[in-house]
Amino acid sequence: MKEQISEGSLSEEEEIYRENILDHYRNPRNKEKPESCSFQHLEHNPVCGDRIELFVKLSGSRVEESSFLGEGCAISQASASMLTDKIKGMPVSELQDMAKEDVLDMLGISIGIVRLKCAMLSLKALHKGLEQYTENNRKKQ
Amino acid sequence: MMILDPPHQHHSPQEHDGEHKDEKHEEFGERIRQDFPILQARVKNKPLIYLDSAATSQKPRQVIEALKKYYEEYNANVHRGIYALSEKATMAYEHARFIIARFINAEQHEIIFTKGTTESLNLLAYSLSKQLKKGDNIVLTQMEHHSNLVPWQQLAKESKRDGKDIEVRFIKITGDGRLDMGHARQCIDDSTKIVSVTHMSNVLGTINPVQELASLAHEHGALLVVDAAQSVPHMKIDVKELGCDFLAFSGHKLFGPTGIGVLYGRKELLAKLPPFLYGGDMIHEVRFEDSTFADAPNKFEAGTPNMAGAIGLAKAVEYLQQIGMENITEYEQELTAYALHRLQEMEGITVYGPPDAAARGGVISFTIAGIHPHDVAQLLDRDGICVRGGHHCAMPLMGVLGIAGSVRASLSMYNTKEDIGLLIAAIHKAQKMFS
Ligand SMILES: Cc1ncc(COP(=O)(O)O)c(C=O)c1O
């Protein structure tokens, strides 16, 4: 039964985990609080203690800067790092269309139903922040 | 890559100290394992290493067959039909109650079937709340599962609305995860009406001094409720010896089916306790204006009960009695000591709860420096190892421990040292990946 714990090389998924997710987890991109931003949103999952605060700065109709602060598991933190990278330069109109699948593609591993919440925390922060921002703008007009 | 340390491999028991005892012990787990079909199965072409029995236990073939037999041969509603089939089902259901009563040294009509510990505790909180008066208090502990916390907390909240102001107090835990009995003595006073404690913590593994708490509660005229969800599968329970007034547990953690549980209550107390659910089966006589209720336990079992569940649970109990609870405790204690030892000697691992296996059960919570419990659980799953990562339905306790969650490996009679060896190897591997 000892063959159970693979002794030699990592499986393909484990390799992705290591290179993709753990790299973003250990060296998160865009992990900072900006001086100013167009909107920000904090999402918190009390069940596992994951926290993501997302900041987005718009310039005209595009995302100029995006960053985050947070703590939690590798999946939640890596997906925030990847997401903030991905949306830079993106037209605002496309932010709303960012979907679950986009995040899963970036992560590159299969995520079980239980951990989907961890993976989607930053996307949820983005969508909620954007919604609030749009709402506020509408009120102002 | 890390692999098992050779001295701990199962196939070389002669390398152990006290080899004879070890061999006997290993055989025990191996033998029991044979009765559990799911443990023979392979998941993603790997054997299942199931270390989450505190969440739910696996089921022996004997229980699965009893359920099948019930549905194939004598399924009928109980207490209602006059025909032979219904009588057979009724007799089997009541016989199940008898077997379970004997298992915990209670009387047959002191056993109420519920759907699990959660329902048992809700029933109690609801029904006992009627007896509470202004200024009374309820004493719990910091290590309660949500199901022995939220019902009482909500009862107290509700009581504010009708001016009763029931207070809920929490006995503190010590640094090594035991109850602070000095604090217990401060919490329990003459206004205490209910003390409700877990027998074995589902996070720390701590076995609480129920007898001492029972004396303490009774000295002050309070009732003692025991949440035995985690202890019943692992040790002999005798409600008379424990001195408790009520005791709750779940069938699914006791090698029985899901959806069945038990509330034991002392008969004098059950006689006075009002019902929780109303409907069929629990009544004596119904008129349009009012009704009278059946005696306990039927008074508390409104509606068609979980007949198959009760029969399956009784089969699980008989199975355990054949093995002998003392033998189970002895085997698991050695296994727990071994697991604690292996984990404690690892670097970067913090183990919670009493360090001494004699004071605890095989629920072992730990954290690994730099790796979130969810990541640990997911990485271990890739090696076919099932552990829990998270707060284990004890969020306030996590706060006391100062962590968001832990990894929990929980042992049962079908686990072996080999399982633990694999767990350790998989943790090493996870640490390596995250390093
Ligand atoms: C100590 C304790 N109490 C209560 C429960 C609740 O049991 P159930 O979910 O079966 O109602 C559990 C199990 O999750 C537990 O470990």
Side-chain angles (χ1 to χ4, degrees):
Chain A
M1 207 153 77
K2 66 175 170 168
E3 83 281 6
Q4 179 137 5
I5 313 297
S6 52
E7 200 177 343
S9 56
L10 296 172
S11 72
E12 197 182 332
E13 277 239 332
E14 285 167 341
E15 208 57 71
I16 297 173
Y17 203 101
R18 193 177 164 83
E19 285 179 4
N20 200 29
I21 295 173
L22 290 184
D23 178 49
H24 274 271
Y25 177 57
R26 279 188 295 238
N27 313 300
R29 327 290 196 262
N30 320 310
K31 191 165 176 180
E32 64 201 348
K33 190 182 167 110
E35 302 251 305
S36 68
C37 64
S38 310
F39 65 85
Q40 68 193 74
H41 190 83
L42 173 74
E43 268 302 308
H44 176 213
N45 182 358
V47 171
C48 50
D50 290 344
R51 281 168 81 84
I52 296 288
E53 188 167 21
L54 197 81
F55 308 95
V56 175
K57 184 173 186 179
L58 303 176
S59 165
S61 61
R62 281 187 185 271
V63 175
E64 185 185 333
E65 270 307 325
S66 96
S67 61
F68 77 103
L69 289 180
E71 59 199 22
C73 67
I75 302 284
S76 69
Q77 302 305 303
S79 57
S81 169
M82 292 172 186
L83 184 73
T84 46
D85 248 1
K86 170 104 176 174
I87 63 174
K88 274 186 208 172
M90 194 179 262
V92 178
S93 57
E94 285 175 24
L95 285 183
Q96 198 52 54
D97 298 332
M98 283 291 291
K100 187 172 94 180
E101 290 70 27
D102 297 311
V103 177
L104 291 180
D105 276 352
M106 289 191 287
L107 289 170
I109 59 165
S110 58
I111 302 272
I113 184 159
V114 178
R115 299 212 67 198
L116 215 51
K117 265 199 185 139
C118 309
M120 296 305 145
L121 201 62
S122 48
L123 184 65
K124 198 166 162 194
L126 174 67
H127 283 164
K128 283 201 179 169
L130 182 64
E131 197 178 311
Q132 195 66 49
Y133 173 76
T134 317
E135 176 78 17
N136 289 348
N137 272 357
R138 202 155 37 92
K139 277 189 204 148
K140 271 188 226 153
Q141 281 166 7
Chain B
M1 273 294 121
M2 185 54 215
I3 185 68
L4 308 179
D5 301 339
H8 297 292
Q9 279 175 24
H10 171 219
H11 17 87
S12 52
Q14 60 275 25
E15 287 175 50
H16 287 254
D17 301 337
E19 63 183 71
H20 210 71
K21 190 165 178 228
D22 261 21
E23 230 170 284
K24 191 186 100 199
H25 267 252
E26 283 299 270
E27 270 172 27
F28 180 95
E30 283 299 336
R31 205 156 18 89
I32 292 197
R33 208 181 179 90
Q34 302 309 316
D35 288 331
F36 290 75
I38 206 170
L39 300 177
Q40 315 304 317
R42 291 177 82 82
V43 180
K44 292 184 226 156
N45 211 25
K46 287 173 175 176
L48 182 68
I49 306 299
Y50 190 72
L51 296 172
D52 198 20
S53 296
T56 196
S57 66
Q58 297 303 344
K59 321 300 172 199
R61 184 174 294 111
Q62 290 81 343
V63 169
I64 300 167
E65 277 164 11
L67 294 176
K68 184 163 180 279
K69 192 171 162 68
Y70 169 75
Y71 282 122
E72 287 184 357
E73 296 177 19
Y74 59 103
N75 172 53
N77 209 328
V78 292
H79 305 308
R80 295 179 188 183
I82 306 294
Y83 48 91
L85 202 63
S86 172
E87 282 194 352
K88 183 164 182 196
T90 305
M91 270 166 60
Y93 181 68
E94 292 305 325
H95 185 62
R97 200 190 302 278
F98 167 75
I99 288 171
I100 290 158
R102 208 178 41 182
F103 181 60
I104 60 168
N105 193 22
E107 289 172 34
Q108 196 172 338
H109 48 274
E110 292 179 319
I111 299 296
I112 299 164
F113 283 124
T114 63
K115 75 182 169 73
T117 310
T118 303
E119 187 184 308
S120 297
L121 292 168
N122 273 274
L123 185 162
L124 266 186
Y126 175 84
S127 297
L128 286 175
S129 70
K130 312 282 168 199
Q131 308 175 359
L132 298 178
K133 296 185 306 296
K134 188 175 165 63
D136 286 347
N137 69 64
I138 297 170
V139 176
L140 311 175
T141 81
Q142 283 184 332
M143 62 171 93
E144 297 312 313
H145 186 278
H146 294 163
S147 67
N148 193 30
L149 194 164
V150 185
W152 306 111
Q153 170 198 69
Q154 293 302 309
L155 177 169
K157 197 173 148 194
E158 196 86 4
S159 80
K160 302 255 176 330
R161 225 168 293 153
D162 34 70
K164 279 201 209 164
D165 283 328
I166 309 295
E167 183 194 351
V168 180
R169 299 174 178 174
F170 296 91
I171 303 171
K172 287 191 185 136
I173 58 168
T174 61
D176 64 351
R178 294 169 208 256
L179 280 189
D180 178 341
M181 290 305 287
H183 191 236
R185 268 172 227 109
Q186 283 171 24
C187 289
I188 301 171
D189 59 24
D190 287 341
S191 298
T192 304
K193 290 296 169 326
I194 299 161
V195 178
S196 189
V197 297
T198 187
H199 192 188
M200 187 199 289
S201 163
N202 70 313
V203 175
L204 303 165
T206 318
I207 297 170
N208 287 320
V210 168
Q211 280 172 313
E212 201 180 330
L213 288 161
S215 311
L216 203 54
H218 294 156
E219 270 166 40
H220 292 281
L223 295 169
L224 185 79
V225 180
V226 177
D227 171 355
Q230 292 297 340
S231 58
V232 173
H234 307 290
M235 61 178 81
K236 175 90 194 94
I237 299 290
D238 180 328
V239 290
K240 305 252 168 20
E241 214 172 283
L242 288 177
C244 59
D245 298 295
F246 296 97
L247 181 127
F249 59 93
S250 299
H252 70 97
K253 294 184 203 281
L254 189 62
F255 314 101
T258 49
I260 186 79
V262 169
L263 174 64
Y264 153 81
R266 259 173 47 213
K267 56 179 182 280
E268 312 86 87
L269 299 171
L270 291 184
K272 285 184 294 183
L273 207 62
F276 174 48
L277 296 172
Y278 299 98
D281 276 346
M282 54 79 63
I283 44 79
H284 178 57
E285 186 186 17
V286 177
R287 284 166 289 111
F288 283 120
E289 310 75 37
D290 201 3
S291 303
T292 52
F293 305 124
D295 291 334
N298 305 62
K299 178 170 64 171
F300 301 102
E301 292 181 5
T304 299
N306 184 352
M307 298 159 303
I311 289 163
L313 178 56
K315 185 51 91 177
V317 163
E318 286 179 323
Y319 174 77
L320 287 169
Q321 284 170 326
Q322 261 171 18
I323 301 169
M325 290 312 291
E326 289 81 4
N327 295 331
I328 293 170
T329 308
E330 190 195 331
Y331 174 73
E332 289 183 357
Q333 228 168 50
E334 155 134 4
L335 202 61
T336 304
Y338 177 73
L340 285 173
H341 169 71
R342 294 293 308 269
L343 283 166
Q344 281 156 353
E345 69 182 10
M346 288 180 81
E347 247 168 76
I349 306 268
T350 308
V351 180
Y352 298 90
D356 172 18
R360 59 177 294 155
V363 175
I364 305 177
S365 279
F366 57 95
T367 48
I368 305 178
I371 321 182
H372 190 281
H374 281 176
D375 294 321
V376 179
Q378 184 163 20
L379 288 172
L380 264 50
D381 174 54
R382 285 164 203 269
D383 288 318
I385 299 172
C386 309
V387 295
R388 246 317 250 280
H391 58 60
H392 319 296
C393 297
M395 286 170 93
L397 174 60
M398 293 294 133
V400 173
L401 298 175
I403 51 179
S406 72
V407 185
R408 182 184 74 185
S410 51
L411 308 175
S412 190
M413 57 185 181
Y414 41 62
N415 290 120
T416 60
K417 286 188 180 172
E418 189 161 7
D419 293 344
I420 292 160
L422 289 165
L423 169 71
I424 301 292
I427 294 171
H428 272 300
K429 189 172 142 189
Q431 284 179 317
K432 200 154 188 155
M433 262 181 83
F434 269 74
S435 68

